Amino acid sequence: MLLQRNKLGSVRPPKRCRSDMDNTSTSDIVIINGNSHPDLANMVAERMGLKNGGCSVFHKSNRETIVEISDSVRGKDIYIIQTGTKDANNNIMELLIMAYACKTSSARSIVGVIPYLPYSKQCKMRKRGCIVSKLLAKMMCTSGLTHIITMDLHQKEIQGFFDIPVDNLRASPFLLQYIQESIPDYRNSVIVARNPGVAKKANSYAERLRLGLAVIHGEQKEAESDEVDGRYSPPPTSSRTRTTSVSVGVPEHPVKVKPPLTIVGDVNGRIAIMVDDLIDDVESFVAAAEMLKDNGACKIYVLATHGLLSSDAPRLLEESVIDEIVVTNTIPHEIQKLQCNKIKTIDISILIAEAIRRIHNKESMSYLFRNVTLED
């Protein structure tokens, strides 16, 4: 290589063309995926100008998971795209085995790209169970993952369960853009929280869109603090065990009694937009929509990041008074869309691709939380 000297006599290397820099920045990236969402992995790889790495994941007749990586991963940065679906346990085992296979093959770094983190709703102690998301975090760290990219965790505090960096991306800019561009007369809308637990998220949407807020109160919440967790169990009455009675100063804990289902806020003649992080069992959404309709809502939309849509959710949504259900493609739901014409999908592969690019180039990730580019 020829070296040039400047006027001061110091040596400077020749300038590199942009194409060489681009090749250097992407030559050591390998994107692989399991069986959970290959379409999303292909879209992310295409946006980055890369081909999907050669990784085969299949199951033997006894349902054991086999992973075969055909390309070399030694000294490279591996990005494993594997989301959670209705087959959550297989999704997790595929991810753990792929990560461990890359670890034992001397990969430089292994980043798990998990748009929807399974078991994220089991992040609190219930009855005499356990915090399953904490266990899952330990398993992922032990398998060899060095970084996690996910999206809209059920609770942000789940990031603290991991001993490795976690980037919790946000899909709200895409959903906000959909409201502004695809809902006619959205200025006549009101953001609705189907229970008090979603009120914080709904309030965030209402503030950004300069819209009103309504909260449905009295509906039984799912995986929140008012569920029976065993702390109200009566003390043992065995004669061998001495118990403290209420009469000696320990007050009896009053039992929670839910009020009748009511709406706090005005929805009469307005477009009701319910927002949440996950749509799985839809009975509560359907019940909330019926109540909104009875209170005068002219149209009802449901927006969520993750559309799991388990069991007969598509049929219930098709038969409900809900006009449209909008979810992102963090979870594959093409079969559900065939069963329900109301389901619309927003592509978030551009956000994941940009997150991978920034992590690989050691750029700041905080930009994605302030400014999300929505154009291709």
Side-chain angles (χ1 to χ4, degrees):
M1 178 176 67
L2 297 178
L3 300 179
Q4 301 176 355
R5 293 182 179 272
N6 58 18
K7 294 181 179 180
L8 299 178
S10 60
V11 177
R12 63 181 182 183
K15 294 183 178 180
R16 298 170 58 191
C17 65
R18 185 172 182 83
S19 60
D20 292 336
M21 295 177 67
D22 292 340
N23 291 336
T24 302
S25 62
T26 60
S27 60
D28 52 353
I29 295 181
V30 176
I31 295 178
I32 62 177
N33 63 275
N35 296 321
S36 65
H37 203 344
D39 292 339
L40 179 61
N42 292 332
M43 285 189 287
V44 171
E46 182 180 355
R47 287 186 179 275
M48 299 188 67
L50 301 171
K51 68 174 184 177
N52 209 331
C55 180
S56 176
V57 182
F58 56 93
H59 301 277
K60 296 177 66 176
S61 58
N62 61 358
R63 302 305 298 165
E64 288 185 358
T65 302
I66 305 295
V67 172
E68 294 180 354
I69 302 176
S70 57
D71 298 337
S72 174
V73 298
R74 181 178 296 273
K76 296 185 178 181
D77 297 323
I78 312 301
Y79 294 85
I80 305 174
I81 301 179
Q82 180 82 340
T83 192
T85 65
K86 291 183 288 186
D87 193 12
N89 294 333
N90 273 332
N91 300 150
I92 292 170
M93 283 307 302
E94 289 180 5
L95 172 65
L96 297 178
I97 296 174
M98 284 189 290
Y100 191 66
C102 294
K103 176 183 178 180
T104 55
S105 298
S106 303
R108 179 168 59 186
S109 66
I110 308 167
V111 180
V113 183
I114 316 169
Y116 170 62
L117 183 68
Y119 291 98
S120 60
K121 295 190 73 173
Q122 298 190 44
C123 58
K124 296 181 180 180
M125 181 66 73
R126 297 297 171 202
K127 296 185 179 179
R128 295 167 184 84
C130 64
I131 303 176
V132 182
S133 54
K134 170 68 173 179
L135 170 64
L136 183 59
K138 288 294 185 183
M139 293 168 62
M140 290 182 177
C141 295
T142 304
S143 69
L145 293 175
T146 59
H147 200 128
I148 296 290
I149 301 174
T150 186
M151 184 171 293
D152 284 345
L153 288 170
H154 184 63
Q155 296 289 342
K156 295 180 180 179
E157 292 76 14
I158 294 177
Q159 299 176 74
F161 294 158
F162 292 85
D163 297 327
I164 55 178
V166 178
D167 287 308
N168 183 28
L169 304 179
R170 300 171 184 170
S172 56
F174 295 86
L175 299 175
L176 290 168
Q177 185 185 54
Y178 184 90
I179 293 174
Q180 294 172 327
E181 296 181 356
S182 301
I183 297 181
D185 194 22
Y186 82 93
R187 290 294 182 185
N188 187 38
S189 302
V190 58
I191 305 299
V192 179
R194 65 182 177 92
N195 59 50
V198 196
K200 185 176 180 181
K201 177 184 286 289
N203 183 62
S204 176
Y205 276 72
E207 290 179 348
R208 283 169 170 77
L209 294 169
R210 310 295 191 269
L211 298 176
L213 176 67
V215 179
I216 299 178
H217 182 52
E219 181 182 6
Q220 185 176 0
K221 297 193 291 182
E222 300 172 1
E224 293 296 338
S225 59
D226 67 343
E227 287 188 356
V228 178
D229 57 8
R231 289 179 293 179
Y232 307 136
S233 301
T237 58
S238 173
S239 58
R240 298 179 182 179
T241 305
R242 181 180 179 183
T243 62
T244 303
S245 64
V246 177
S247 60
V248 297
V250 180
E252 182 180 357
H253 202 294
V255 179
K256 291 183 179 180
V257 179
K258 285 185 173 293
L261 201 63
T262 56
I263 297 180
V264 181
D266 182 24
V267 298
N268 187 25
R270 313 282 289 277
I271 300 172
I273 304 175
M274 285 190 283
V275 296
D276 211 329
D277 63 320
L278 172 67
I279 302 178
D280 188 7
D281 296 324
V282 299
E283 286 84 358
S284 58
F285 289 94
V286 173
E290 291 175 352
M291 186 172 187
L292 292 170
K293 203 71 173 179
D294 294 339
N295 281 265
C298 57
K299 280 192 174 182
I300 301 172
Y301 291 80
V302 176
L303 276 71
T305 303
H306 312 295
L308 198 54
L309 303 172
S310 300
S311 188
D312 57 348
R315 179 185 61 81
L316 294 175
L317 292 173
E318 184 69 23
E319 298 173 354
S320 70
V321 296
I322 299 174
D323 295 282
E324 196 167 278
I325 303 96
V326 183
V327 293
T328 70
N329 60 341
T330 56
I331 300 174
H333 48 263
E334 295 304 319
I335 297 178
Q336 289 87 337
K337 290 179 70 174
L338 296 176
Q339 301 171 353
C340 179
N341 297 323
K342 299 178 181 179
I343 301 175
K344 309 297 180 184
T345 306
I346 298 176
D347 179 25
I348 45 82
S349 61
I350 186 173
L351 178 59
I352 296 176
E354 179 64 13
I356 293 175
R357 188 194 68 80
R358 286 182 170 274
I359 290 176
H360 181 70
N361 293 334
K362 297 178 175 58
E363 299 178 17
S364 173
M365 288 291 289
S366 62
Y367 179 87
L368 294 180
F369 302 109
R370 298 193 305 267
N371 306 285
V372 179
T373 304
L374 302 183
E375 294 85 9
D376 290 342

